[in-house]
Amino acid sequence: MAEIVFDKVTKDFGNGPVVRDVSLAIAEGEFCVFVGPSGCGKSTLLRMVAGLESITEGEIRIGGRRANDVPPAKRGAALVFQTYALFPHMTVRENLGFGLKVRGAANAERDAKVVAVARDLELDALLDRHPRELSGGQRQRVAIGRAMLRDPQVFLFDEPLSNLDAALRVHTRLQIARLHQETGRSMIYVTHDQVEAMTLADKIVLLNAGERIAREGSLAQVGTPMQLYHHPKTLFVAGFVGAPRMNFIPARVVEVFFDRLVAATGSGLRVAASVCADGIKAGDAVTLGIRPEHVGFGDMLSAHVLNVERFGDSALLYLESAETKEPIVMRTDGATRLRRGGTVSLAWPEQHVHVFDSVERALTRSVDPLAE
């Protein structure tokens, strides 16, 4: 195991930084997920840890040792690529054992380790097949097994599940989670899929993209999955974390109290929110945020049902209202009898309303849902 420290790390390919001013510590044995929109630099950041990209500014330390100029093979890190990167002319057995062979391991030792890892990854019946004879999920497990046999201090995963179908993604995700539990090694995992981020991570690093990198640096927010979900620091984080995303309603503040404010929408709907409104005054423009699972039935506003998506145990209602430019999304019981074209009346509890100021920063909520 090894702690990984990023100290003011920046990467510039010549047209402006794609990664800027990243300072971050990943603890020994921690599972850290880099997530963000396309172009945010998450794979570049991972490749700098692996030694496959140089660092323009700052430094990376692995296990307390400065790694900037350490060759990739000596960093104690094993990288699992999105595209598997298997030798097509070698069998599964030979692909798994290649690194051990290069390092001079005896045949008996190599064979025993290969068989043990193959058994753990359910590859023991496939050892004599070539990659062309394997499914995508099987190939990815071979790539993971090859990384395991390096016995690294740090595992690095670069979108390893993106080429797999839905069922294989779930199965392989569980195997990666088990690998982390059994080895206790530090892991960095890059993905664009927030489901993977939320289900695997001890720590999520959400990265900015585009102009936000130049304006705010690369780090949008760092924390546990539940911290990012319940306490997004910005409008961007609130809109990125959660599927479907948070509902947003533009409004203006009409009343301010110590631990509560009231805002009115363009049509005059008054919405209360349990937030600490320091620096906010009546007349300020704000954005209200409500997650789909917190939208319920009530008497606050009326909406028309645009569409119903059913998932068996739950359903998503897409609702048109005068309060928002985009449909309001509501998560409800899968047995709902509502249909397209119907009308509903909505409400939500004020303790679940997020408020973002004119520069998209979240106001602190006076009721902590994680403490409820």
Side-chain angles (χ1 to χ4, degrees), residues 127-145:
L127 285 170
D128 295 319
R129 294 190 186 183
H130 288 82
R132 65 180 177 274
E133 301 172 283
L134 305 178
S135 69
Q138 290 165 343
R139 293 178 193 177
Q140 192 58 277
R141 279 182 276 151
V142 175
I144 293 170

Side-chain angles (χ1 to χ4, degrees), residues 346-366:
L346 306 177
W348 44 77
E350 66 178 70
Q351 66 266 28
H352 289 302
V353 178
H354 300 254
V355 181
F356 304 89
D357 64 19
S358 58
V359 292
E360 301 186 352
R361 291 175 301 196
L363 304 187
T364 301
R365 299 168 71 189
S366 52

Side-chain angles (χ1 to χ4, degrees), residues 46-300:
L46 184 81
R47 289 170 65 85
M48 286 193 282
V49 177
L52 303 181
E53 291 288 356
S54 61
I55 299 169
T56 305
E57 296 177 16
E59 71 175 30
I60 293 175
R61 297 187 293 275
I62 301 175
R65 181 178 67 161
R66 187 177 188 271
N68 292 39
D69 303 315
V70 176
K74 296 184 178 180
R75 293 194 178 199
L79 176 59
V80 177
F81 294 92
Q82 176 182 353
T83 53
Y84 319 135
L86 304 180
F87 297 108
H89 63 288
M90 293 184 182
T91 64
V92 170
R93 187 188 307 274
E94 291 167 337
N95 266 286
L96 288 172
F98 181 75
L100 293 171
K101 182 178 180 180
V102 169
R103 292 194 292 276
N107 289 345
E109 177 191 1
R110 183 170 74 244
D111 290 344
K113 289 184 176 180
V114 165
V115 168
V117 165
R119 187 184 305 114
D120 288 343
L121 295 174
E122 301 175 22
L123 295 169
D124 43 328
L126 308 173
L127 285 170
D128 295 319
R129 294 190 186 183
H130 288 82
R132 65 180 177 274
E133 301 172 283
L134 305 178
S135 69
Q138 290 165 343
R139 293 178 193 177
Q140 192 58 277
R141 279 182 276 151
V142 175
I144 293 170
R146 189 172 55 188
M148 291 170 63
L149 285 163
R150 288 193 59 187
D151 194 25
Q153 291 181 294
V154 179
F155 283 95
L156 308 175
F157 295 91
D158 191 4
E159 302 207 45
L161 309 185
S162 60
N163 292 330
L164 307 182
D165 64 32
L168 281 174
R169 280 201 300 272
V170 173
H171 180 69
T172 310
R173 189 170 74 221
L174 290 172
Q175 289 186 312
I176 292 172
R178 189 181 68 181
L179 172 65
H180 177 248
Q181 183 179 16
E182 291 177 353
T183 65
R185 301 300 168 87
S186 306
M187 293 187 177
I188 303 178
Y189 186 103
V190 165
T191 184
H192 64 276
D193 185 334
Q194 60 176 285
V195 173
E196 293 175 21
M198 294 292 288
T199 55
L200 286 171
D202 298 319
K203 175 185 289 178
I204 291 179
V205 177
L206 177 56
L207 298 170
N208 285 316
E211 295 180 357
R212 289 182 178 276
I213 293 177
R215 187 171 67 246
E216 304 170 12
S218 285
L219 297 183
Q221 189 168 340
V222 178
T224 67
M226 290 299 98
Q227 285 171 342
L228 267 67
Y229 189 82
H230 289 294
H231 295 291
K233 291 183 177 180
T234 66
L235 194 69
F236 165 70
V237 176
F240 191 89
V241 177
R245 75 172 202 162
M246 186 181 290
N247 297 293
F248 296 123
I249 302 175
R252 285 195 176 274
V253 176
V254 292
E255 293 183 280
V256 179
F257 305 96
F258 172 71
D259 59 355
R260 184 173 181 266
L261 64 75
V262 178
T265 68
S267 64
L269 175 70
R270 292 169 69 93
V271 179
S274 300
V275 296
C276 301
D278 292 343
I280 297 294
K281 61 184 184 301
D284 285 351
V286 293
T287 300
L288 309 175
I290 306 99
R291 293 211 178 273
E293 64 268 28
H294 296 142
V295 179
F297 298 109
D299 57 2
M300 286 181 62

